[in-house]
Amino acid sequence: MKRTIVIFGTISIVIILLFQVSKFSLMNTQGFSDVFLIISGILFIALGYFITKLFYARKHTNSIQEIDIKRIKELNISKQELKVLGLMSDGLSNNEIAETLFITENTVKSHVSKILSKLNAKRRTEAVKIGRDLNII
Amino acid sequence: MKRTIVIFGTISIVIILLFQVSKFSLMNTQGFSDVFLIISGILFIALGYFITKLFYARKHTNSIQEIDIKRIKELNISKQELKVLGLMSDGLSNNEIAETLFITENTVKSHVSKILSKLNAKRRTEAVKIGRDLNII
DNA sequence: TCCAAACTCACTCGAAAGTATGATTTTGAG
DNA sequence: CTCAAAATCATACTTTCGAGTGAGTTTGGA
């Protein structure tokens, strides 16, 4: 918020200054100067460039997919289930997941089953895909 | 290539036109006009905006991980195997893959087996993970 | 404290997945 | 045209998954 205000304030000031400088230059010079016009144009283009870059940078960092906690809660997926899902997406077998989490394979199986039903998936590969698409993993 | 030339040509023309219009307007008007200056500035800013957006769009599509054809050849993965791998990563079963590609499940199995050995994976989920990491899918 | 949800585990059974081997047909590059 | 690689399919066998059911234990919040 604060940052937004500072940035937009700065931009506004720069624009106003640009216009003022432009006006003075044009008014005080009798012989009109091509060079000035070109410089002025370039400055404005540069301004457009920075503004656009700013917005793009913002959008970009936002789209670097952070895990969607809200959706996890909506789907009623528990902590342990999420861990299991993550290990599934790493390509581990039920047995390997069991060893990683210090639980039995049977327990892993029951977690997996619940994950599949909650994500509406038929297979673990599908669950992983859905999990990825929903930004859950 | 062609597209690049067209785009840059267009931009060049627009810029030149803008400068010409600016010059004429300023020379023919005795009383200097604020309105004109503002419009001119906005136009230039818009130009900067479009140019920047163009470059960003290009960079962006490039950074959206294009498939690494070189590595596919290094790993000696064939076309059909790649298709199968892609369908695996979509969470399809061997049977579904078979129906999608109009081949039998047995054939799919042999493809999958080859993929697993080529990617050094023990399971299809692992193969998918490796494939993703290597930008093969 | 009490309870629902989460976590844990087990057992069975059927369905997928994966291995191994071998054989035939297509295809593409030289 | 030729030949190797790719693609196709099959059969038999093993392993892993996943469904379904049931039940004991933890845990966090009202």
Side-chain angles (χ1 to χ4, degrees):
Chain A
M1 265 305 136
K2 229 177 187 175
R3 220 173 127 242
T4 308
I5 293 170
V6 171
I7 289 170
F8 276 89
T10 308
I11 290 175
S12 305
I13 291 171
V14 169
I15 289 176
I16 291 170
L17 278 180
L18 253 176
F19 278 122
Q20 289 304 315
V21 170
S22 302
K23 217 160 92 177
F24 269 110
S25 302
L26 283 173
M27 284 178 120
N28 295 340
T29 311
Q30 227 68 349
F32 184 76
S33 157
D34 273 350
V35 176
F36 165 73
L37 231 185
I38 290 171
I39 291 174
S40 179
I42 290 174
L43 282 177
F44 276 114
I45 289 174
L47 196 64
Y49 167 79
F50 283 116
I51 291 173
T52 311
K53 203 170 173 186
L54 209 81
F55 277 103
Y56 258 85
R58 188 159 305 183
K59 215 191 277 177
H60 204 255
T61 44
N62 269 7
S63 72
I64 286 187
Q65 323 281 25
E66 42 195 43
I67 46 167
D68 193 338
I69 300 168
K70 203 195 296 173
R71 190 150 344 173
I72 292 172
K73 284 185 180 165
E74 280 172 10
L75 290 169
N76 205 29
I77 294 175
S78 71
K79 285 182 203 168
Q80 198 76 335
E81 284 164 3
L82 202 66
K83 279 190 199 170
V84 171
L85 181 57
L87 294 173
M88 274 201 288
S89 82
D90 285 341
L92 300 198
S93 68
N94 286 341
N95 193 31
E96 287 168 341
I97 294 174
E99 286 174 359
T100 304
L101 297 180
F102 300 105
I103 55 180
T104 66
E105 194 183 335
N106 287 319
T107 307
V108 175
K109 281 189 182 182
S110 76
H111 285 315
V112 171
S113 282
K114 279 175 189 167
I115 293 169
L116 293 184
S117 74
K118 285 178 183 176
L119 289 185
N120 225 357
K122 300 194 201 75
R123 282 162 289 282
R124 55 169 50 213
T125 39
E126 197 184 353
V128 169
K129 189 214 154 72
I130 294 173
R132 287 192 170 288
D133 291 347
L134 297 181
N135 295 327
I136 277 178
I137 315 183
Chain B
M1 265 302 136
K2 230 175 187 174
R3 216 172 130 244
T4 309
I5 293 170
V6 171
I7 289 170
F8 276 88
T10 307
I11 290 175
S12 304
I13 290 171
V14 169
I15 289 177
I16 292 170
L17 278 180
L18 253 175
F19 277 121
Q20 288 305 317
V21 172
S22 303
K23 215 160 95 178
F24 269 109
S25 302
L26 283 173
M27 283 175 120
N28 295 342
T29 312
Q30 227 69 351
F32 183 77
S33 155
D34 272 350
V35 176
F36 165 73
L37 232 184
I38 290 170
I39 291 173
S40 179
I42 289 173
L43 282 177
F44 276 114
I45 289 174
L47 196 64
Y49 168 78
F50 283 116
I51 291 173
T52 312
K53 203 170 173 186
L54 208 82
F55 277 102
Y56 256 85
R58 189 157 303 183
K59 214 192 275 174
H60 206 252
T61 45
N62 268 5
S63 72
I64 285 185
Q65 322 279 25
E66 47 192 39
I67 46 167
D68 192 338
I69 300 169
K70 202 194 297 172
R71 191 156 318 158
I72 292 172
K73 285 186 179 165
E74 281 173 10
L75 291 169
N76 206 29
I77 295 175
S78 69
K79 286 183 205 168
Q80 198 75 335
E81 284 164 3
L82 201 66
K83 278 190 201 168
V84 171
L85 180 57
L87 294 173
M88 274 200 290
S89 81
D90 285 340
L92 301 198
S93 68
N94 285 341
N95 194 31
E96 287 168 342
I97 294 174
E99 286 174 359
T100 304
L101 297 181
F102 300 106
I103 55 181
T104 66
E105 193 182 336
N106 287 319
T107 308
V108 175
K109 281 189 182 183
S110 77
H111 285 316
V112 171
S113 282
K114 280 174 190 166
I115 293 168
L116 294 183
S117 74
K118 285 178 184 176
L119 290 184
N120 227 356
K122 298 194 202 76
R123 283 161 290 283
R124 55 169 49 214
T125 38
E126 197 184 354
V128 169
K129 190 219 154 69
I130 294 173
R132 286 191 172 286
D133 289 348
L134 297 181
N135 293 327
I136 276 177
I137 317 184

